[in-house]
Amino acid sequence: MKLQVRSGDAVAGTLLWVMAAVIVQQSTTWPSSGDVAGDPTVFPRALAAIMFASGLALFVLPRPPPAREEGTGELRTLRTLLLIGLTMLMALSLETVGLVTAGIVYVLAAQRLAGAPWRKALPFAIGAPIAIWLVFVTVLHVPLPRGEIWQWLFS
Amino acid sequence: MFDPQLLFAGFATIASLKVFPFLVLGTVMGIVVGAIPGLTATMAIALLIPFTFAMDPISGIVMLLAIYAGGIYGGGVASILIRTPGTPAAAATLLDGYPMAQKGEAGRAIGIATISSGIGGLFSACALTLFAPLLATVALSFSAPEYFSLAVFGLVVTMSLSGNSLLRGFFSVLCGLTIGMIGIDPIGGFQRMNFGFSELSGGFNFVAVMIGLFSLSEAFRQMEQMDTMPPVPPAIRNVLPRFKEIAGMWTVYVRACVYGLIIGIAPGVGAETSSFLTYAEVKRASKDPSQFGKGAPEGVAAAQAAENGSTGGDLLPMLTLGVPGDAATAVLMGALTIHNLQPGPMLFQERPDLVHQIFAGMISANLMFMIVGLLGARLLAKVVQIDRRILVPLVCLLSLIGAYAIDNNPMDVWVTLFFGVAGWLMYRNGFPVSPLVLAVILGGMMESNLRRTLVMGLGSPAIMLHRPIALLILVLAALSLYAVIRRNSNEARKRKAEEAVTE
């Protein structure tokens, strides 16, 4: 196991610097200590200073590699990225087409992406969103998106 | 103070038709989710919080406690049957549980695991019932400096004990503290760091953040490792262990219960650490340590009793001080705040009835998973075989719907998605997620109490020197940090020496 600075650590270090800069910039717009009990900038600016130093340490100090499990090859990562893309589409379409329709399409696509056969995937893809709808809306009385498109069509 | 009458009244509430079905439902869901490899108790709580929104507080809390206790126990079942821990905490159960199953004793191993988890869980729930009111009474005398020190201690220990790099743990803490600052200044009440988005005026919704970090990110992670199907588990027979066998392991249980409770109380560590430490200690103290790892029932008993033995300890600082012991209790704390209950010493003053109902709920949850576990052992063999290709997309869907259901706000769906991706990326690069969550919770407490401390000290932090409890907690935090830095540097030196020998 070799100690070295890794790209993930370098990205994290950069992120800390960016966050530190944002905190310092934002804190200049806050009310002064005279208006608010205790100086509201003390904690955030101290945090920003620590972040800056930690970001530097992430660049400079070598660390052991992450304890990663098997199965993070390129193809499998691509599969996860596709699932994230699908999830974004689901989030975008949730209000427009409604939970049941978006859910059925999303679950079916994600299950097929995972490698599930049609005969197994289809019943769950149809059943799960309907079951979730029934539990939340009918039993728990928690409203979920019906879908603007359906409301427009049936109004 | 602990009030037996209130506790009995709590049991009566738990036994009522309004609460009892949720206790059973929570136990079953917890065991099922815990038994499925890759799905953790923390994930189960985060995922199922939205189902409790419409319930009255005690029904929802009891269901979540049952999921927690059942989930921790359920992880051991998959360890025994298919040599894959259902939860990270159950990895120690695997060491002797799987060899027992290979010898045709899967049923016996599950029986011992169930009873042992129950013993550990019941002990820790009773300890919680007795000690929590005492600690809450002490905590009433705490002021801003003590709470600031507690928050620092919690974060230092959490980041020290998670992952293989202190700096990566610290990165997670810093991210969590920054996320916790978004929204409203805790004392001045003015808007800060919302970047013009009105949706962020109250900060990120904590439940949406937790669902993303613990549930959606786990589903993304599972998607990468889905090529292998779980092996077929062996047949389960003779689940109910003999009383003589259980009674013969009393020394194991004493060790497991004490270790579990103490480790559970320490911030940042929970079932995972307690099960491994207890297993090692029981093995060391055994008359025949060579049997461990080859199917010793004591090994299964030690690991499982310690796992559930830590649950009460984990809940203790969360309920009494508002400082969660680990990720699972951090999520539970989020659930309590959703039901307008703020954990801390004031909860014991204002709602002693509810606190005792929680104690009764925790004791009942531990009894319930023993009953369900023993009766449903054969069905658990089917649960561990559930096809993850079907399950993972359903977890994703439930995460999104759960996030939406918090406030019927599409923004929360995006927050969950953002933190789901962030959690997945953090995992891939070796950054622990738990310190981030604890920092989001403790950040507000840390900042507001630091500012109050400075006001008390007329701008000088030297006031800490005149507060012995606060100072002691800070010294303990510094010592634990020093111990971890020293351990890490020793390990690095050892690694270098090994590499030099290899070359």
Side-chain angles (χ1 to χ4, degrees):
Chain A
M1 187 161 62
K2 203 147 191 158
L3 295 178
Q4 60 184 70
V5 176
R6 281 155 215 285
S7 57
D9 293 333
V11 172
T14 311
L15 192 63
L16 283 183
W17 283 350
V18 172
M19 288 195 302
V22 169
I23 289 171
V24 171
Q25 185 277 326
Q26 288 282 308
S27 69
T28 58
T29 63
W30 299 343
S32 66
S33 55
D35 304 326
V36 181
D39 188 346
T41 62
V42 167
F43 182 80
R45 284 183 185 169
L47 194 65
I50 296 169
M51 280 170 136
F52 188 79
S54 307
L56 192 67
L58 275 164
F59 270 107
V60 176
L61 299 177
R63 272 163 311 289
R68 202 184 287 177
E69 290 166 32
E70 282 175 26
T72 46
E74 220 163 81
L75 181 69
R76 290 161 189 178
T77 303
L78 180 67
R79 201 160 60 180
T80 303
L81 291 173
L82 286 171
L83 178 64
I84 292 168
L86 268 178
T87 313
M88 286 173 78
L89 283 177
M90 162 78 184
L92 276 173
S93 60
L94 194 60
E95 294 228 299
T96 319
V97 296
L99 162 73
V100 176
T101 316
I104 289 172
V105 175
Y106 171 72
V107 173
L108 189 63
Q111 286 177 336
R112 290 292 298 151
L113 184 66
W118 282 101
R119 64 182 171 78
K120 266 190 176 182
L122 210 53
F124 282 98
I126 296 170
I130 295 172
I132 290 172
W133 177 273
L134 289 176
V135 170
F136 272 97
V137 178
T138 314
V139 182
L140 299 171
H141 303 292
V142 176
L144 291 177
R146 287 172 184 276
E148 288 157 11
I149 197 164
W150 303 115
Q151 282 175 333
W152 178 76
L153 276 175
F154 293 106
S155 61
Chain B
M1 284 297 285
F2 168 62
D3 186 337
Q5 274 185 335
L6 280 179
L7 188 66
F8 287 126
F11 279 118
T13 309
I14 303 297
S16 68
L17 272 178
K18 175 181 89 165
V19 182
F20 191 74
F22 294 111
L23 174 72
V24 179
L25 188 68
T27 305
V28 173
M29 286 199 287
I31 295 175
V32 167
V33 173
I36 297 170
L39 308 190
T40 62
T42 313
M43 178 192 196
I45 301 166
L47 202 58
L48 297 170
I49 283 176
F51 285 93
T52 69
F53 291 161
M55 297 178 191
D56 71 314
I58 192 61
S59 303
I61 292 163
V62 165
M63 190 171 104
L64 293 174
L65 287 174
I67 292 169
Y68 178 45
I72 297 279
Y73 151 70
V77 175
S79 289
I80 292 166
L81 293 178
I82 56 169
R83 205 176 171 237
T84 309
T87 58
T93 308
L94 184 150
L95 299 172
D96 281 290
Y98 186 67
M100 277 182 84
Q102 277 184 314
K103 288 194 271 182
E105 294 179 330
R108 185 179 166 218
I110 288 182
I112 290 171
T114 309
I115 299 286
S116 305
S117 280
I119 290 172
L122 279 173
F123 173 83
S124 77
C126 292
L128 172 75
T129 307
L130 290 174
F131 295 135
L134 289 175
L135 186 58
T137 312
V138 174
L140 276 175
S141 64
F142 285 9
S143 182
E146 286 77 21
Y147 277 107
F148 169 72
S149 306
L150 273 173
V152 172
F153 180 70
L155 290 181
V156 165
V157 178
T158 308
M159 74 178 186
S160 310
L161 294 168
S162 50
N164 58 354
S165 162
L166 188 67
L167 205 51
R168 290 190 186 123
F170 194 43
F171 167 82
S172 298
V173 166
L174 292 172
C175 287
L177 291 174
T178 308
I179 291 162
M181 282 200 299
I182 295 170
I184 299 172
D185 178 85
I187 291 180
F190 59 86
Q191 288 287 318
R192 64 179 188 185
M193 290 179 70
N194 61 13
F195 309 102
F197 290 99
S198 59
E199 292 91 345
L200 290 178
S201 58
F204 285 118
N205 188 303
F206 182 59
V207 178
V209 173
M210 286 188 303
I211 294 176
L213 284 173
F214 288 119
S215 181
L216 200 56
S217 73
E218 188 61 46
F220 291 155
R221 205 175 117 181
Q222 291 287 318
M223 196 72 173
E224 283 187 314
Q225 305 158 359
M226 217 178 276
D227 287 346
T228 51
M229 289 292 286
V232 179
I236 301 172
R237 283 185 223 98
N238 305 325
V239 175
L240 203 64
R242 282 173 293 132
F243 176 76
K244 212 175 155 185
E245 185 174 30
I246 297 295
M249 292 193 282
W250 69 272
T251 51
V252 173
Y253 292 130
V254 170
R255 280 198 174 87
C257 289
V258 173
Y259 273 73
L261 184 68
I262 293 170
I263 293 167
I265 292 171
V269 281
E272 197 178 342
T273 314
S274 72
S275 61
F276 271 105
L277 269 177
T278 309
Y279 180 87
E281 174 56 24
V282 168
K283 184 181 174 184
R284 191 192 61 75
S286 168
K287 284 176 191 158
D288 187 7
S290 65
Q291 288 305 307
F292 280 72
K294 294 175 187 165
E298 291 86 358
V300 176
Q304 287 289 125
E307 262 180 67
N308 280 84
S310 69
T311 51
D314 281 329
L315 285 170
L316 190 75
M318 187 273 274
L319 276 177
T320 55
L321 305 167
V323 178
D326 65 354
T329 45
V331 182
L332 273 173
M333 188 167 153
L336 284 172
T337 49
I338 281 175
H339 289 284
N340 291 322
L341 300 166
Q342 188 57 50
M346 289 314 289
L347 186 65
F348 286 72
Q349 295 289 307
E350 290 162 4
R351 295 295 309 273
D353 56 329
L354 187 104
V355 169
H356 283 78
Q357 284 169 356
I358 292 175
F359 296 153
M362 194 60 190
I363 294 170
S364 308
N366 282 291
L367 286 169
M368 187 50 70
F369 80 66
M370 276 208 280
I371 296 166
V372 174
L374 290 173
L375 291 177
R378 289 186 187 174
L379 289 174
L380 288 174
K382 296 205 178 346
V383 169
V384 296
Q385 268 198 305
I386 286 177
D387 192 342
R388 284 188 295 167
R389 297 173 302 179
I390 299 292
L391 191 71
V392 168
L394 298 181
V395 169
C396 292
L397 178 70
L398 212 50
S399 303
L400 299 182
I401 298 308
Y404 184 90
I406 301 167
D407 274 331
N408 298 314
N409 184 357
M411 175 74 176
D412 289 334
V413 176
W414 288 103
V415 169
T416 294
L417 184 53
F418 173 80
F419 281 98
V421 175
W424 172 64
L425 288 173
M426 283 174 73
Y427 165 75
R428 279 181 65 92
N429 291 290
F431 291 88
V433 167
S434 299
L436 189 153
V437 175
L438 289 183
V440 174
I441 290 180
L442 295 177
M445 176 178 163
M446 197 170 166
E447 182 182 1
S448 55
N449 285 301
L450 172 68
R451 278 165 62 183
R452 284 191 194 107
T453 303
L454 290 175
V455 171
M456 283 165 73
L458 302 173
S460 165
I463 186 177
M464 300 296 277
L465 299 172
H466 305 289
R467 309 284 296 204
I469 296 176
L471 196 62
L472 177 72
I473 298 169
L474 282 182
V475 169
L476 283 176
L479 283 177
S480 55
L481 191 63
Y482 170 74
V484 174
I485 290 171
R486 209 178 141 171
R487 187 193 68 196
N488 284 0
S489 65
N490 282 346
E491 277 174 10
R493 215 174 298 137
K494 215 163 121 187
R495 264 197 306 267
K496 256 186 191 169
E498 278 170 11
E499 274 169 23
V501 169
T502 318
E503 279 164 18

